[in-house]
Amino acid sequence: MSIAGIKGMNDILPEDVATWQFVETTARSVFGAFGFNEIRVPVVEKTELFCRSIGETTDIVEKEMYTFTDRSDNSLTLRPEGTAPVMRSLIQHKLINQNPVQKLYYSGPMFRYERPQKGRYRQFHQIGAEVVGIDSPLIDAQILVMLDHFFKQVGISDVALQINSLGCPQCRPGYRDALIAFLDQRLASLCSDCQRRFRQNPLRALDCKVPGCKEATEEAPIVLDHLCAGCDDHFSAVRTHLQNLEVSFSINPRMVRGLDYYTKTTFEMITNSLGSQNAVAAGGRYDGLIQKLGGPDLPGIGFAMGVERLVLLLSELKLTNAQIDLFIAALGTEAQQHGFKLLSFLQRSGVRAEMDYTDKSLKSQMRRADKLGARYSLIIGEDELTKRSAPLRNMSGGEQIDVDIDNFEGVLSTVAPAETL
RNA sequence: GUGGGUGUAGCUCAGUCGGUAGAGCACUGGAUUGUGGCUUCAGAUGUCGCGGGUUCAAGCCCCGUCACUCACCCCA
């Protein structure tokens, strides 16, 4: 019995890697242009970090974390998200003292013990960005402009930006009470899930998919009507900036975020071509989080994108791995040895070169050259060895020229793509 | 954690009433002493997920189990 991988933890095979790299390099260049620097943090943290940041009563902390004790009896957890570790690092290294504005991005695997389904895995990858130290709505808008731009750069148009405001510690409790009072009146018409969580997380009822709940909450009070003056001004400034920059968005007052630390602006990039896991990027402001984690009282805002979901949206793109420059078809041991010398020289010179390491027929070697997408092929047999000259074939047109098989530099200069010279 | 669907060749899948395993693609070789793509001919390929049961006989029926997958829940 061979050993299989772990449920929900997928291999990313060579044929898919080009798409992943495309997403990653696009994110790097876009985030870089917006002034973000990469930070790399461990995938394991003390369990406490996530309990304090994400919230004790969230599903993530209650039942989805990969938590274990190490040999020293510390409780450790495989990170289920990236913001908390980045904030921990920022506090620990007092980065804010070096620069009062921190713009950071990260990329890497996250872990949640959930039942896998389309777009949802136990090990999944996020690329996220965070800004710490600025409470201006300009930054909220900048994050959204960057997100919008990233999707355009990567070529995904089947997404819609939704925004909302969750208020702050001044105005949210009042809204929460109003909502609970409202739901309490119609408890009977809510689904069992909503009944169960209605005291702990009443907001959930607002985006419940059960028709009965949708109906019952149609007239429910809306956060946006309960915002304090500060939050209201902030939210309208964000909207104005987005309009000025021609970023299209819609307001979804029923949008709920899964992590406790969000305040004020929250947002999601939604698609309808991914099945039920429709959020491809999401985030929001988290003004109290850093202080809660033992740092200074600094505002923050950020988001994370699900890389698997991005790749799924790009799957029809069918990017391929780089094609090779030259395939050397050698016939016979002696030719193979000479070919191998030339091959190694070219590879060391940075040219993508390949050959057949077994002694197959020329036909099959040419087939392989074609399959690898070689730009050129060089055919070395017995005649060529005695003449010290071999046909170099242009695989797209089919025309051939004879080249000196001892003049490695000469082969290199005709075969190398322009950019490597 | 709950529910549905699917497990047969490397891949996508067919397999009738239970009668000893098939196609396309891919692969290998030939047609072209030594030239890829297009065409054509030939060839190789199986723990029918696994374990048990019924039967003269099981890919097919029954029981169990595992894996994958979609959905609920939740979320990126």
Side-chain angles (χ1 to χ4, degrees):
Chain A
M1 200 53 179
S2 58
I3 299 171
I6 297 167
K7 183 202 290 287
M9 305 208 181
N10 301 128
D11 302 314
I12 301 150
L13 300 177
E15 56 181 334
D16 300 320
V17 165
T19 308
W20 280 72
Q21 290 177 341
F22 170 63
V23 168
E24 288 159 358
T25 58
T26 306
R28 287 204 149 75
S29 81
V30 170
F31 293 7
F34 280 78
F36 287 73
N37 292 309
E38 183 174 359
I39 184 170
R40 301 191 182 195
V41 294
V43 293
V44 195
E45 295 279 352
K46 289 182 182 166
T47 302
E48 164 81 9
L49 174 65
F50 300 112
C51 298
R52 248 157 76 183
S53 56
I54 298 171
E56 293 277 1
T57 61
T58 59
D59 276 27
I60 292 177
V61 170
E62 276 185 349
K63 49 193 191 192
E64 293 176 1
M65 296 205 304
Y66 277 93
T67 295
F68 60 98
T69 54
D70 70 5
R71 289 169 187 274
S72 308
D73 268 343
N74 299 310
S75 179
L76 305 182
T77 294
L78 262 42
R79 62 182 185 190
E81 60 107 32
T83 300
V86 168
M87 292 308 121
R88 190 229 82 225
S89 176
L90 177 139
I91 295 165
Q92 185 175 330
H93 301 288
K94 300 189 167 36
L95 295 184
I96 209 75
N97 293 347
Q98 297 168 26
N99 185 335
V101 182
Q102 289 291 325
K103 291 170 130 183
L104 303 166
Y105 76 88
Y106 60 87
S107 166
M110 307 293 161
F111 303 85
R112 292 183 200 170
Y113 191 88
E114 300 179 90
R115 193 80 165 250
Q117 71 184 70
K118 184 175 180 135
R120 192 179 77 179
Y121 311 99
R122 288 184 174 179
Q123 172 174 326
F124 60 103
H125 297 76
Q126 288 187 334
I127 300 174
E130 316 285 353
V131 180
V132 170
I134 303 197
D135 52 20
S136 162
L138 284 170
I139 275 296
D140 302 44
Q142 180 168 81
I143 286 269
L144 294 170
V145 169
M146 183 169 87
L147 202 51
D148 177 76
H149 185 239
F150 170 82
F151 277 88
K152 286 183 173 134
Q153 288 298 296
V154 95
I156 296 174
S157 53
D158 184 26
V159 285
L161 174 63
Q162 297 191 342
I163 65 171
N164 190 22
S165 176
L166 291 183
C168 64
Q170 272 72 54
C171 50
R172 189 150 30 152
Y175 169 65
R176 200 184 129 101
D177 290 346
L179 181 61
I180 289 180
F182 174 87
L183 292 174
D184 211 1
Q185 301 296 301
R186 300 141 226 256
L187 214 46
S189 45
L190 295 180
C191 73
S192 55
D193 282 323
C194 286
Q195 292 184 14
R196 172 174 53 77
R197 65 198 166 198
F198 119 95
R199 287 220 173 261
Q200 214 167 56
N201 193 353
L203 304 207
R204 272 264 97 87
L206 293 181
D207 74 340
C208 185
K209 292 168 189 162
V210 176
C213 295
K214 280 189 167 165
E215 225 173 285
T217 58
E218 227 163 74
E219 308 277 303
I222 286 309
V223 222
L224 298 179
D225 296 333
H226 288 74
L227 295 181
C228 61
C231 287
D232 198 43
D233 289 350
H234 186 98
F235 191 55
S236 67
V238 171
R239 288 179 339 232
T240 304
H241 293 136
L242 289 178
Q243 278 155 4
N244 289 343
L245 289 159
E246 294 174 335
V247 172
S248 52
F249 65 92
S250 62
I251 296 167
N252 177 2
R254 309 170 87 84
M255 192 173 82
V256 177
R257 309 277 33 256
L259 287 61
D260 279 1
Y261 53 63
Y262 286 114
T263 57
K264 294 187 178 166
T265 315
T266 58
F267 50 89
E268 287 184 354
M269 272 286 182
I270 303 288
T271 177
N272 43 34
S273 33
L274 270 189
S276 69
Q277 308 303 318
N278 62 352
V280 46
R285 198 161 257 292
Y286 44 83
D287 287 347
L289 176 62
I290 294 159
Q291 190 171 44
K292 200 171 174 185
L293 290 176
D297 184 14
L298 292 168
I301 180 169
F303 67 86
M305 311 189 288
V307 181
E308 281 82 356
R309 293 181 184 180
L310 290 166
V311 169
L312 278 172
L313 288 175
L314 290 168
S315 60
E316 67 278 6
L317 199 61
K318 281 285 168 269
L319 294 174
T320 51
N321 287 313
Q323 297 182 330
I324 68 169
D325 299 312
L326 175 68
F327 187 90
I328 299 175
L331 300 164
T333 316
E334 220 179 310
Q336 199 178 47
Q337 279 170 15
H338 188 81
F340 187 62
K341 259 166 96 176
L342 173 57
L343 178 79
S344 305
F345 168 79
L346 293 170
Q347 291 169 329
R348 285 167 169 166
S349 307
V351 162
R352 294 173 174 271
E354 188 53 284
M355 70 183 290
D356 195 296
Y357 303 96
T358 60
D359 194 22
K360 291 214 175 109
S361 71
L362 180 62
K363 185 194 191 70
S364 108
Q365 295 196 44
M366 291 303 288
R367 252 207 285 262
R368 182 131 177 268
D370 183 56
K371 204 176 173 188
L372 291 171
R375 294 167 51 241
Y376 291 96
S377 61
L378 182 69
I379 298 163
I380 310 176
E382 276 176 39
D383 288 357
E384 287 76 10
L385 278 177
T386 53
K387 283 189 304 188
R388 312 308 291 172
S389 166
L392 179 71
R393 182 182 179 83
N394 183 326
M395 295 297 280
S396 55
E399 61 275 10
Q400 299 187 171
I401 53 165
D402 284 325
V403 298
D404 180 347
I405 61 171
D406 296 306
N407 182 2
F408 287 11
E409 293 286 351
V411 175
L412 172 65
S413 63
T414 47
V415 140
E419 63 271 18
T420 60
L421 283 176

